[in-house]
Amino acid sequence: DPRSGMAAVVYEDALYVIGGETPTGVSGEVLRLDGTGPTWTKVANKPHPAQDVGGVLLGEKIYVPGGSGPDGKPLATLEVYDPRQNTWEERAPLPEPLAAYAIAAFEGRLYLFGGWDGQQVVSSVWEYDPTTDIWTRRTPMPTARAWAGAAVIQGKVYVVGGSDGKTPLAVNEVYYPQR
């Protein structure tokens, strides 16, 4: 099915596509594409359907925070998928509902950058530690943005592009997790 606003995460030799918007609405469907063939397999659905969502692999599990629910409102959920058991569990919710954030994993922690809180595009930065199940607010970005990308290069997280809610951004910023 066509879809947009979904999370895509690689685990071992498979691609997992999670949630997103399909022609029939916001989905909680999870699809796995094994690297050995062109066949998609349905696995356990995400408990809360969401679009404008991202995911990261930490250890052996896929972490999927927030996103926009079927009613269009951002969610504060943190759902964790275990590919080996094909099960989902809920962890500590986000301190604020967020969708359309940039997401990255660095040294065993999850980082969320910006996003949409249901009213406005935000500049917040959140760090999640899966060992303690605690979210910590970090120094916000200089630029509020949503629908951006994030990637780790040499110990820094680059947050690239996105939108301020009105126009696309050409601003790229670097976050230093160790600081």
Side-chain angles (χ1 to χ4, degrees):
D1 291 333
R3 68 184 61 224
S4 64
M6 70 283 189
V9 179
V10 173
Y11 173 72
E12 291 189 340
D13 195 26
L15 170 66
Y16 290 82
V17 172
I18 303 163
E21 183 175 17
T22 68
T24 59
V26 176
S27 175
E29 187 175 62
V30 181
L31 301 170
R32 182 183 68 224
L33 177 64
D34 291 316
T36 57
T39 304
W40 289 94
T41 303
K42 289 184 180 184
V43 296
N45 280 353
K46 182 179 176 306
H48 294 92
Q51 67 175 333
D52 294 330
V53 68
V56 294
L57 183 69
L58 293 174
E60 299 274 317
K61 296 182 179 178
I62 298 171
Y63 289 72
V64 183
S68 293
D71 62 1
K73 294 180 182 176
L75 303 169
T77 57
L78 173 59
E79 295 171 321
V80 180
Y81 179 68
D82 183 336
R84 293 193 185 274
Q85 302 298 318
N86 190 31
T87 58
W88 286 89
E89 70 173 306
E90 287 199 41
R91 302 292 303 265
L94 281 159
E96 62 181 336
L98 285 173
Y101 47 76
I103 188 170
F106 180 71
E107 294 189 350
R109 295 183 182 202
L110 178 158
Y111 291 87
L112 285 186
F113 299 91
W116 180 66
D117 70 0
Q119 309 235 344
Q120 63 186 351
V121 171
V122 298
S123 62
S124 58
V125 175
W126 292 100
E127 176 189 79
Y128 174 76
D129 182 343
T131 304
T132 61
D133 196 29
I134 293 175
W135 289 94
T136 304
R137 182 182 297 273
R138 296 296 179 204
T139 303
M141 296 181 294
T143 308
R145 66 177 76 216
W147 300 283
V152 176
I153 302 174
Q154 297 181 344
K156 298 174 267 191
V157 182
Y158 289 78
V159 182
V160 180
S163 170
D164 65 6
K166 297 177 186 152
T167 59
L169 297 171
V171 177
N172 303 312
E173 296 168 342
V174 180
Y175 179 76
Y176 296 82
Q178 65 277 19
R179 293 184 188 169

